[in-house]
Each structure stands twice: as C-alpha cells, then as structure tokens.
Amino acid sequence: MELSIKRLSGNALLPQYATPGSAAMDLRACLDAPVVLSPAGAGDGYCQMVPTGLAMAIPEGYVGLIFARSGLASKHGVAPANCVGVIDSDYRGEVKVALANHSPEPYTIQPGDRIAQLMISPVVQPLITEMAQLPETLRGEGGFGSTGR
C-alpha cells in the first residue's frame, strides 16, 4: 500500500516511523512560532487545532487514525481532544490535530514537535440490519463491571 502525501507548507515535515516496529508514524507540528496550550480549566486556549502542513490521500478501504503520543500524554497531559481522530479516505484537506492540555501547567508546542501518531488501518463497512430481537449470549445485557475485577 502507498500513502500519497502533499506538503502544504515549505516547513511541513513528512510523518516518520520512530522505530522499525512502530505501528504508527509520528505527526509533527507545522508552526511559524511556538503555541502555548493553557492549563486545563484555565479557559480558552487549553485546546487548539495544530496544523501538520500535510494533506494525504488515504487509500479507499482504509482510515487514518490519530492517536496520542504516549510520552506527551503521560508526562505532560497533552493529547488529542477527541481521543482518537479519524481521517476518512475521501478527505483531502490539511490534517490538523486538536490538542488539549489536561495538566495544571501550560505546555508549549514548538515548530516541528512530534504531536501525535498516525496509524493507517483497514475499514469494514457492514450492512445494517434492524432486528426486533438480538441473538442471546452468556453475558447478555451485563454492562460495565459485569464480568468482575
């Protein structure tokens, strides 16, 4: 499979896999100047759209999934605001990452910083069938915590 990418800015950096075993590639901030994410609960500015300067043609039958970088999220509280971003195969605009600062401290994103991970994954679009009754299972309607600790 091939992922076609177009740079929309001269300082945009192509995604890269950090190691040979990486499942996702790093996306980098395409900024002219640093951007400060305010602390959580401080009002406006704790969540901002961070551009990557890239557009891409995800092949039909696939989706681009944007995940947090584990170190950025666990050490600094900075992660995608929508938890997982979805890039549909028919989208051709700039890929941006809605980053939120969940920590009590401001966090500064520098131009070129690795801000998220992009994974390309197959998509299954099932036929929807409305049923009056669903097939029975051992679990049934048991919800959160129903299987024990």
Side-chain angles (χ1 to χ4, degrees):
M1 183 223 304
E2 182 175 290
L3 178 62
S4 299
I5 295 179
K6 177 181 178 181
R7 289 183 211 237
L8 303 175
S9 170
N11 60 347
L13 299 169
L14 294 177
Q16 290 183 314
Y17 291 100
T19 67
S22 295
M25 55 194 110
D26 290 327
L27 290 174
R28 294 180 178 269
C30 183
L31 302 168
D32 293 326
V35 169
V36 177
L37 295 176
S38 299
D44 291 341
Y46 89 97
C47 180
Q48 295 190 42
M49 296 295 287
V50 180
T52 65
L54 304 172
M56 53 190 69
I58 295 171
E60 187 175 336
Y62 291 85
V63 63
L65 299 172
I66 296 177
F67 295 101
R69 293 196 64 247
S70 58
L72 194 57
S74 64
K75 294 177 184 173
H76 304 286
V78 175
N82 54 344
C83 296
V84 177
V86 174
I87 307 169
D88 297 310
S89 64
D90 57 353
Y91 176 67
R92 293 296 183 268
E94 182 176 10
V95 173
K96 297 179 181 181
V97 180
L99 281 182
N101 181 359
H102 301 284
S103 79
E105 302 295 326
Y107 184 81
T108 302
I109 301 166
Q110 299 291 338
D113 275 0
R114 296 182 297 165
I115 56 170
Q117 297 182 82
L118 171 65
M119 178 187 289
I120 306 299
S121 186
V123 170
V124 176
Q125 290 182 324
L127 292 174
I128 306 296
T129 305
E130 184 176 3
M131 307 286 292
Q133 189 72 20
L134 295 176
E136 296 288 327
T137 68
L138 288 175
R139 183 175 182 174
E141 294 182 18
F144 295 102
S146 67
T147 60
R149 286 179 86 171

